[in-house]
Amino acid sequence: FPWMNVDGQTKVSVFTINDAITEWMEHRRKNKIRKKTLEINQLGLDYFVDRNGSKRSLSSIGNTDIANYINYLDFKGNSDTTINIHLRTIKAMFRHFLKIGKLERVPIIEQRKTPRKDPIYITDHEFHSIMGLDWLDDLYKKVFLLYRETGMRLREPFMASLNGHWVDIPPESKSHAARSIELSDPLIQIFIELKNWFEYGYGSSLSDVGEHISKKFKKCLRSIGADEIKR
């Protein structure tokens, strides 16, 4: 109120879009969200600021603003899948502030409908071709075999622990469910070698080991003339 400050003016505290982004991203970091996810979140939020500005109050964002945001993402050349990723980021931020009482409502944020595509798996012939690549280090060949035989997700081996013949994967994985996978003796040795490489070897110097392995695998697929979106 005017009589409570030296300026003699009423001051209104506004929770701006910029305030919300800063607070939410810090909340995500404290919850140990992986770096790649945070980068994707930040890109979607940067687009949101480009379209709506940083000083608007978060509570002023309505359905029309969301529709305009989607049109802006379209204009920037994003695919429907990428647009949906950015919409999930915005929706998650709004729902967070609704949950903690900093918003009274969340605008309607609906995903675009995209045709469902079945995953394309690598064939036995293609896998054997990768195993025969002269330039590919034996470590990567063994790691690819571990993934193929166990069905583990890209980053799960690095958060998992070995317990006898079982690999225990914590609920922090992408599936959000703890589970265990039984390994044969040869796969146990590969798992141990991979963990040592990750913790003490070349892998320990990489900023994102999962991305490194993914790029290596895609390079192999290109080398044998296979579609690099295969699993």
Side-chain angles (χ1 to χ4, degrees):
F1 293 103
W3 61 86
M4 298 175 68
N5 64 78
V6 295
D7 297 327
Q9 297 177 351
T10 300
K11 295 184 177 182
V12 179
S13 179
V14 177
F15 188 57
T16 66
I17 292 174
N18 186 62
D19 293 333
I21 290 173
T22 301
E23 184 175 321
W24 187 65
M25 288 297 289
E26 182 61 24
H27 169 75
R28 303 275 285 168
R29 292 187 190 95
K30 287 180 178 178
N31 279 276
K32 309 231 184 305
I33 304 299
R34 66 186 182 91
K35 181 180 176 182
K36 191 66 177 178
T37 301
L38 291 175
E39 290 174 354
I40 294 172
N41 290 157
Q42 189 62 59
L43 179 58
L45 294 168
D46 288 343
Y47 279 132
F48 194 69
V49 168
D50 288 344
R51 182 61 188 83
N52 295 290
S54 63
K55 295 184 178 180
R56 277 186 63 179
S57 67
L58 188 66
S59 61
S60 71
I61 298 297
N63 299 337
T64 300
D65 298 302
I66 298 300
N68 290 336
Y69 174 61
I70 294 172
N71 291 335
Y72 181 72
L73 292 174
D74 251 336
F75 172 76
K76 298 299 271 186
N78 292 281
S79 67
D80 286 343
T81 300
T82 302
I83 289 174
N84 283 341
I85 290 172
H86 293 326
L87 288 175
R88 283 197 293 271
T89 292
I90 301 304
K91 188 172 185 177
M93 183 179 72
F94 271 89
R95 288 178 67 86
H96 168 73
F97 289 115
L98 178 69
K99 181 179 178 181
I100 65 174
K102 288 195 173 183
L103 279 179
E104 294 182 356
R105 62 174 181 83
V106 171
I108 297 172
I109 305 175
E110 295 180 335
Q111 296 278 291
R112 279 192 166 180
K113 292 183 178 179
T114 55
R116 181 175 178 178
K117 297 180 180 179
D118 293 330
I120 304 172
Y121 293 98
I122 188 171
T123 66
D124 289 338
H125 174 72
E126 290 168 338
F127 187 75
H128 288 310
S129 296
I130 290 175
M131 294 296 102
L133 291 172
D134 293 333
W135 58 265
L136 183 62
D137 189 273
D138 283 344
L139 172 65
Y140 295 104
K141 293 179 181 180
K142 288 186 282 188
V143 169
F144 295 158
L145 178 64
L146 178 69
Y147 281 114
R148 184 174 173 83
E149 294 298 310
T150 63
M152 280 193 282
R153 294 180 182 275
L154 182 58
R155 291 173 174 80
E156 286 182 341
F158 311 114
M159 63 178 68
S161 58
L162 186 63
N163 183 15
H165 277 78
W166 293 84
V167 164
D168 296 325
I169 300 171
E172 288 78 16
S173 71
K174 191 173 182 179
S175 65
H176 300 296
R179 69 187 197 283
S180 297
I181 301 172
E182 187 175 13
L183 301 184
S184 63
D185 288 336
L187 291 181
I188 288 174
Q189 294 306 312
I190 295 174
F191 180 80
I192 292 172
E193 186 175 349
L194 175 60
K195 292 287 277 190
N196 286 334
W197 174 83
F198 169 63
E199 294 174 0
Y200 310 112
Y202 175 67
S204 63
S205 64
L206 299 171
S207 58
D208 190 330
V209 177
E211 184 177 6
H212 170 78
I213 292 176
S214 178
K215 287 181 178 179
K216 184 73 69 173
F217 185 64
K218 288 179 179 179
K219 182 179 179 182
C220 292
L221 290 173
R222 290 193 297 270
S223 180
I224 65 171
D227 189 339
E228 66 176 77
I229 67 170
K230 289 188 175 184
R231 298 182 181 182

